[in-house]
Every structure is written in C-alpha cells, then in structure tokens.
Amino acid sequence: MSFRRWSWFGTLLIVGCVLAGLIVHLLQADVWAALSFVPPVLWWLVAAVAAGPMWLRGQSWQRRTLAAGLLIYALFAVEEVSSLGRWAWHGFRLEDSGPRVRIVSLNCNVGSSVAAREVQALNPDVVLLQESPGEAAVWEVATELFGEEAAVVYGRDCSIVARGRLEAVDDFPNATGTAAIWTMPDGRPLRVVSLRLAPPVIRIDYWSPDCWREYAAVRRKHREQLRAIVKATSASGSEAATVIGGDFNLPARDGALDVMPDDMIDAFRTAGRGWGNTALNQFPVARPDQVWCSRQLAVTTCFARKTEHSDHRLVVCDLAIAVESDER
C-alpha cells in the first residue's frame, strides 16, 4: 500500500477515534466507564503522536482535518487547556485578592504523618486529610499549624484540621469520609467534608467482558457513595455553605459526579490554574483529588502542588471572604 493511500486511511481513522473519544468523555455513560476512565489528555497525546507521519508527509487537507479534530477534542475534553491558559495569564499569586480562606486537601499515602506535614508550607486555614495518620499524629500536625487555635475532627480514614472552631457532624456516613462545621473568620458557618471514595479499577484487558462490568460497577458504587454524602451533608444544616473535598478516586468529569448538587462547583474547573492533575505524584495525568464548593463561595484560585512524601499531589483552593463596608 502506498503512503498516500495509507495516510488517507490513517487520517480518517485518527479523526474518527478522536471524535469517538470526545463522545465517550462528554456523555460519560456507565457502559463506557472503562474507556472514560482513561484521562482525556492521554487520548489526545496518543492521537497527536499517531498523526505525526500524516502531518509531516501528508497533503494539506490531511493537515487541516487532523488539526481540526485534535483542536475540537482539546477544547471540549481536555481541561488542561483552560487551566494552563489561566496560569499563563494570571499565575498563582493573587496579592490583591483581599481576605481569603485557604482549603488544602491531601492524600497522606497510607497514614504518613510526614506527608501530612507538607501542608504547612501552604499556610492553610482548613486541611482535608485522606488515608489519615493516627489521631495523635493529626493533633501534632494541627498544633504545629495553628497552635492554641488548632481544632481536629478525626476519622479513621479521613480527618479535618482547622484554625478555630470545628464541630463534628456525627450522623455522617463515616465509611466514606468525615464532616464538620467550621466557623469562618467572618463568623459564617461552613460545612466541610473530607472524603475518600472506593478505590478505582485499574485494568486494561478490554477484551474481557469482566473488565467492562467491573468499571461500570465501580462507577455505580461511587455514585451511591456520593449520593449518601450529599444527602448527609444537606441534612446537617441548610444555612451553611459547603466544601466537599478529598480523594474521589475517579476522573475529573466522571459520570458518578452527576449526583453532585447543582449549587456546587468543581473549584478547579471554575478557577483552576496550571497543571491540576494529582495522580500520580511523579507522573500526574489524572485529577482524582478535587474540591467542590457551594456557588455562594467565591473561588479565586485552585491549583495542585507536587509533594515529597505522598503518591498524590495536594490541592489548594482559595475562597474570597467578603468584607462588609462601614459606610451606611
């Protein structure tokens, strides 16, 4: 087969796969969970590399077709495009943003207190820990952070550390997380949840029906867990705004997230900057670590930072605090 004929076929095949991938990631059907678990940015990179020979030696129509397909997929499915754009335009530091509350979320890599201490450099107000260290170690980290103002709500898997007043929500489904009510600096209550959902499936034997069924089953389990968390959080008080963060153990736009309330937003999708992926720490291609906030909270920025002692990167989310004017 000549290169011209092969490249014609290859161009249409790549564009077809890119468009199919776009449909898979946008629709997020449970039956396709095994495919949508693959990070969109990896799909894009594989397609771009495969398109290289046609781009270098193909005709102009092939270049235009490939460029259009890759561009459409990147704009609609690859969230790194928008977050890197915000980083290039604004950077991370918002020195003129006024008073803020900083939420930091970190998976501590099977209870590592050394990993938990890495949040200290970020100057947080609230810390959400998953795979939490023991209670004594969590209190040590809290005291090092906030001194006499330290408050802790401890959970066997997920814990919350904060500066100031923190009250546990006792009727929360503790199998998936820990919840508390935190009093913000302006006196308003904030419901805070640190969660870790069921571990994901890591399989690539797509020829096996069991592989597809297992991915779909985990998707349904994650949806059930999130539905229970949302229900319990809503029952803990209708006046308070809410932050739900932690290790969701699913992709950033996973179909299980469709049970999240309409009045909550993914902080990184709204104000994320830079490379926001958190797993794995040395090669971050997925964003299972997320922070979701009530819409009445003004998210100024959200970003990920590399860690030294965890297999996940940590997430930083800044919320603006309105300052009331003294003028009448």
Side-chain angles (χ1 to χ4, degrees), residues 34 37-38 201-208 211-212 215:
F37 185 80
V38 180
V201 178
I202 306 295
R203 296 182 62 170
I204 57 174
D205 54 333
Y206 291 119
W207 57 87
S208 170
C211 172
W212 295 82
Y215 272 103

Side-chain angles (χ1 to χ4, degrees), residues 17-18 20 23 31 35-36 71 96 107 120 128 150 160 162 166 170 178 186 196 208 238 241 251 281 290 308:
C17 289
V18 166
I23 293 172
V31 70
L35 293 178
S36 57
L71 179 62
D96 59 346
N107 181 305
Q120 296 176 357
L128 311 178
I160 302 172
L166 195 64
D170 296 327
T178 299
D186 61 1
R196 188 168 77 97
S208 170
S238 58
N281 186 43
Q290 304 169 30
E308 296 295 330

Side-chain angles (χ1 to χ4, degrees), residues 2 7 24 39-40 58 80 91 94 105 115 142 176 191 196 200 260-261 263 267 271 292 303 315:
S2 66
S7 65
V24 165
E80 290 84 355
L94 297 178
S105 178
T176 52
R191 289 175 295 195
R196 188 168 77 97
M260 295 296 286
D263 64 347
W292 286 69
F303 58 92
V315 179

Side-chain angles (χ1 to χ4, degrees), residues 3 11 51-59 62-67:
F3 177 81
T11 298
M54 277 72 76
W55 182 266
L56 294 174
R57 298 180 57 188
Q59 301 177 38
Q62 292 173 308
R63 296 191 183 94
R64 290 194 297 269
T65 302
L66 291 168

Side-chain angles (χ1 to χ4, degrees), residues 7-317:
S7 65
W8 180 88
F9 173 77
T11 298
L12 297 182
L13 178 62
I14 291 172
V15 172
C17 289
V18 166
L19 295 179
L22 181 63
I23 293 172
V24 165
H25 283 99
L26 291 182
L27 295 185
Q28 289 291 334
D30 289 358
V31 70
W32 299 334
L35 293 178
S36 57
F37 185 80
V38 180
V41 67
L42 287 184
W43 282 54
W44 189 92
L45 288 173
V46 170
V49 170
M54 277 72 76
W55 182 266
L56 294 174
R57 298 180 57 188
Q59 301 177 38
S60 59
W61 73 267
Q62 292 173 308
R63 296 191 183 94
R64 290 194 297 269
T65 302
L66 291 168
L70 291 171
L71 179 62
I72 291 172
Y73 181 82
L75 291 176
F76 288 95
V78 182
E79 70 174 8
E80 290 84 355
V81 172
S82 57
S83 64
L84 288 171
R86 293 192 198 100
W87 170 76
W89 185 258
H90 296 286
F92 288 129
R93 301 183 65 184
L94 297 178
E95 297 171 349
D96 59 346
S97 62
R100 57 103 173 118
V101 165
R102 171 160 287 184
I103 312 290
V104 175
S105 178
L106 173 64
N107 181 305
C108 297
N109 192 18
V110 198
S112 169
S113 60
V114 179
R117 283 180 167 83
E118 293 191 53
V119 304
Q120 296 176 357
L122 280 303
N123 191 27
D125 296 290
V126 178
V127 180
L128 311 178
L129 300 176
Q130 305 86 47
E131 297 191 27
S132 172
E135 186 171 7
V138 172
W139 269 107
E140 288 180 6
V141 172
T143 303
E144 291 170 7
L145 271 170
F146 306 125
E148 295 181 355
E149 294 183 284
V152 170
V153 172
Y154 175 76
R156 186 176 62 179
D157 189 37
C158 300
S159 298
I160 302 172
V161 173
R163 184 198 311 274
R165 187 177 179 184
L166 195 64
E167 298 180 5
V169 175
D170 296 327
D171 57 349
F172 194 77
N174 294 324
T176 52
T178 299
I181 302 293
W182 179 58
T183 302
M184 293 194 288
D186 61 1
R188 290 181 296 164
L190 179 68
R191 289 175 295 195
V192 184
V193 177
S194 177
L195 63 76
R196 188 168 77 97
L197 302 185
V201 178
I202 306 295
R203 296 182 62 170
I204 57 174
D205 54 333
Y206 291 119
W207 57 87
S208 170
D210 287 340
C211 172
W212 295 82
R213 284 193 289 265
E214 191 171 355
Y215 272 103
V218 170
R219 164 79 63 80
R220 291 190 293 270
K221 184 175 182 63
H222 284 161
R223 186 179 288 115
E224 292 172 2
Q225 290 178 323
L226 282 174
R227 187 177 287 115
I229 288 170
V230 168
K231 181 179 179 180
T233 302
S234 301
S236 65
S238 58
E239 298 298 324
T242 303
V243 169
I244 300 177
D247 183 0
F248 284 68
N249 271 322
L250 47 73
R253 300 186 181 185
D254 192 83
L257 295 168
D258 58 11
V259 301
M260 295 296 286
D262 292 338
D263 64 347
M264 296 199 71
I265 57 174
D266 179 346
F268 190 81
R269 288 189 66 181
T270 301
R273 300 182 184 182
W275 193 262
N277 295 330
T278 61
L280 292 170
N281 186 43
Q282 300 298 329
F283 187 67
V285 294
R287 190 166 64 85
D289 302 273
Q290 304 169 30
V291 175
W292 286 69
C293 305
S294 296
R295 291 186 181 275
Q296 64 261 43
L297 297 171
V299 182
T300 58
T301 189
C302 186
F303 58 92
R305 281 287 175 85
K306 187 177 181 181
T307 59
E308 296 295 330
H309 302 285
S310 176
D311 54 346
H312 287 232
R313 297 191 173 194
L314 56 77
V315 179
V316 180
C317 175

